[in-house]
Amino acid sequence: MACLVACSSTPRPAPGGPAGVARYTQAAAWTAPPETSRLAEVARAASGEGGASLVLDPALTQTARLVAERVAADPAHRPPSARLVQGLAWQAGLTDPIPGIVTVHRGGDGPLGEETAAGLHEIVSQDHPTHMGVAEVVRGAERWMVIALTRRRLRLEAVPRQMARGDRLVLQGAIEPGLRAPTLSLAHPDGRVEDQPLGEGPEFLVRVPLDARGVWQVELEATGSEGNTVLANFPVYVDTAAPQTTDDGAPEQVGDPAEVEASLLGLLNAARAHERLRPLDVLPGLAAAARAHSQDMAEHRFVAHNSPTQGTTAERLQRAGLRSGLVLENVARGYGPREIFDGLMASPGHRANILNPGVTHVGIGVVRDPTGNGLLVTQDFMAVATAIDTAAAAQSLLRAINLARRGRELSPLEERPALSTAAREAAAGFFRDPSRTQQQALRDASARVQREGLLYRRISVAAAFGPRIDGAERLEPLLDDASRFIGVGVAQGDHPDAPPNSVFVVYVLAVPR
């Protein structure tokens, strides 16, 4: 793996704080100064057997130094907040997901304590970091040592932090073996999130036109044994200055899990209200499933969508009897609701899940991390269909069909009661008999109108099936030029391997003699 390094063309720091590097850069090698090398060996030894292979990284070391200076200068010597660590990591040129931080206060130059060594060993065993940075700040007889750790699974060519409107953002690199299907999630300055598949991997190349002023949040993801995994997350500033200072607030205290769940729900729905989206209701079964996954992560020491014992999100929810045409999931770790929520919203992929207009319900599960690293969080989102007026839906579909036909300069379809009766009975029968297929339902509809065959030269049938009625009016057979009559039947219910309250629409079309 290549190492990140700060670009030599670093802007001059402003009075409010360091402006940061000019580019996010990964370099091939780095020669560490003796003091850093010595500290790195101390950290590796304390990390146990898994720490021996940790690569000393200059940008992580710069991050550790900036964090150590903040902690040492703070009168209360508060530990760093997640927002502070993330901001300083970006200033140092890191594109990796937010690094883990271990802060050590030493009264002298003695060895790290047993508690610190145990904590480092736990982080290395659980998070499997590949790179680290170390720094120490001395204030009189007091020493503040900070160790920054990250798992790097991506090679990425240099990316400017600041660009001009009209430029193209070039993202080129490769994902590590074991990962596939890299994806770019890009949050535009207006908050809109755009997803773009980058092929099967491992190599990728994409050029994105930057057509608006503001902050563009870049996230690269890939799929592996743990599910969908964030590999990089960083901002690019277009015709706007990068921030000169970083929030130095302390992390929130670890809260009661039930209270944190309630707070996260409030923050989530406030964000949706700001985007004029309907609030999400809590689905008790979904909340129980989310809580069970958080507990599984706590017990088996992982933070991922796929569980080594319980499987994927879809498998877990299916076993819980929860079916839907749209299921999304966020997992996170943090100390309090504000910190956790801000971290999720800073990730384009997680933000898109929170603000997805198609989901209707959420389940939030929070448990304490037994390692002492705060809280483990699962948010499961689902689209649950609500009951509809099937008769009114049939009339609404007919109006939409004729509007589309008028746009094609086709004559409108006239509803015939006998055709609609056949369509309704076929649609309702589909849900009454769980073994019935869509094709069997369509054959039923056709058979029911055969006795009127003398009235029509040709009879055809079509159907739409899904969690919502949206789009059922866009079937191509409905635009047949020769058809003049129609029957529309709409039914709603449960069917094997389909979301609850699914909608089945049957059309019977007829051509007059």
Side-chain angles (χ1 to χ4, degrees):
M1 275 289 185
C3 297
L4 286 168
V5 65
C7 177
S8 59
S9 57
T10 303
R12 179 178 300 170
V21 298
R23 295 186 297 169
Y24 303 101
T25 312
Q26 292 181 346
W30 181 58
T31 302
E35 180 66 13
T36 299
S37 297
R38 182 187 66 79
L39 292 173
E41 291 308 313
V42 171
R44 287 192 183 102
S47 299
E49 184 178 343
S53 61
L54 286 169
V55 176
L56 185 59
D57 182 87
L60 274 170
T61 294
Q62 171 71 350
T63 303
R65 184 185 66 79
L66 294 173
V67 171
E69 289 176 348
R70 294 292 187 100
V71 173
D74 181 16
H77 304 304
R78 297 171 298 173
S81 67
R83 183 181 296 179
L84 169 64
V85 174
Q86 182 68 92
L88 295 178
W90 287 336
Q91 286 184 354
L94 278 176
T95 61
D96 306 311
I98 181 170
I101 295 291
V102 177
T103 303
V104 183
H105 174 225
R106 298 193 288 174
D109 197 21
L112 299 182
E114 291 183 4
E115 185 177 345
T116 300
L120 271 172
H121 180 69
E122 182 69 38
I123 292 174
V124 170
S125 300
Q126 178 173 319
D127 296 344
H128 308 292
T130 58
H131 291 67
M132 75 171 176
V134 291
E136 189 172 55
V137 172
V138 180
R139 295 286 188 270
E142 304 293 308
R143 293 173 178 269
W144 300 93
M145 180 179 176
V146 169
I147 305 163
L149 301 160
T150 190
R151 184 180 182 185
R152 186 168 303 155
R153 310 181 70 183
L154 171 79
R155 173 179 59 79
L156 185 64
E157 299 296 327
V159 178
R161 285 186 78 214
Q162 295 191 250
M163 301 182 71
R165 184 175 178 180
D167 288 349
R168 286 185 176 270
L169 173 65
V170 179
L171 300 172
Q172 182 174 8
I175 56 179
E176 72 171 18
L179 297 174
R180 61 178 180 83
T183 300
L184 167 65
S185 289
L186 186 67
H188 294 237
D190 61 5
R192 176 170 48 94
V193 176
E194 173 187 1
D195 289 335
Q196 183 173 348
L198 304 180
E200 278 300 304
E203 296 184 353
F204 60 85
L205 171 62
V206 63
R207 296 178 176 88
V208 181
L210 302 174
D211 56 5
R213 178 181 179 276
V215 182
W216 295 68
Q217 194 72 28
V218 180
E219 188 168 78
L220 292 164
E221 306 166 345
T223 301
S225 61
E226 299 171 347
N228 195 46
T229 302
V230 176
L231 306 180
N233 180 22
F234 57 94
V236 173
Y237 303 90
V238 176
D239 283 345
T240 189
Q244 300 292 316
T245 59
T246 301
D247 174 29
D248 59 356
E252 300 171 89
Q253 296 297 314
V254 178
D256 174 73
E259 293 177 357
V260 173
E261 289 176 2
S263 296
L264 286 173
L265 177 65
L267 291 168
L268 182 155
N269 278 331
R272 290 179 65 88
H274 184 266
E275 299 297 326
R276 298 182 179 179
L277 297 171
R278 59 152 289 173
L280 300 183
D281 296 323
V282 174
L283 190 64
L286 195 60
R291 209 167 289 123
H293 184 59
S294 292
Q295 187 62 44
D296 184 29
M297 291 194 295
E299 292 176 358
H300 293 93
R301 304 291 196 269
F302 72 97
V303 182
H305 297 289
N306 291 357
S307 164
T309 59
Q310 301 300 316
T312 66
T313 305
E315 291 168 344
R316 297 194 310 271
L317 296 186
Q318 188 171 16
R319 283 198 302 272
L322 298 163
R323 302 192 310 275
S324 173
L326 177 60
V327 171
L328 306 169
E329 182 173 75
N330 289 340
V331 293
R333 181 167 58 194
Y335 289 89
R338 185 79 253 180
E339 178 183 85
I340 292 166
F341 185 76
D342 287 348
L344 290 170
M345 290 296 283
S347 160
H350 295 94
R351 174 189 174 93
N353 289 346
I354 290 171
L355 300 180
N356 189 296
V359 297
T360 59
H361 289 73
V362 66
I364 302 175
V366 178
V367 302
R368 291 181 183 272
D369 187 340
T371 66
N373 291 323
L375 302 163
L376 293 166
V377 181
T378 302
Q379 295 176 329
D380 284 328
F381 304 88
M382 177 178 282
V384 178
T386 56
I388 63 172
D389 183 333
T390 55
Q395 293 303 308
S396 176
L397 286 171
L398 181 57
R399 289 192 295 271
I401 291 166
N402 281 332
L403 184 63
R405 287 177 66 89
R406 186 172 67 184
R408 295 278 190 95
E409 298 184 349
L410 301 175
S411 57
L413 296 174
E414 178 185 335
E415 184 184 15
R416 286 291 175 92
L419 300 184
S420 287
T421 298
R424 280 196 303 272
E425 291 178 354
F430 175 73
F431 288 115
R432 281 197 300 267
D433 183 357
S435 66
R436 207 149 196 77
T437 66
Q438 295 183 50
Q439 288 302 320
Q440 288 173 323
L442 293 182
R443 284 197 293 269
D444 286 348
S446 181
R448 290 176 188 276
V449 295
Q450 287 304 318
R451 61 178 177 268
E452 298 192 41
L454 295 177
L455 298 177
Y456 307 112
R457 179 161 56 88
R458 187 180 81 233
I459 293 174
S460 59
V461 291
F465 181 48
R468 293 181 298 275
I469 201 168
D470 305 345
E473 76 282 4
R474 293 196 289 268
L475 299 182
E476 192 62 31
L478 300 174
L479 299 177
D480 175 41
D481 185 26
S483 296
R484 291 292 181 270
F485 304 113
I486 189 173
V488 184
V490 179
Q492 187 175 32
D494 296 344
H495 202 269
D497 301 321
N501 273 353
S502 290
V503 178
F504 189 47
V505 181
V506 175
Y507 298 108
V508 180
L509 298 160
V511 178
R513 290 191 178 276

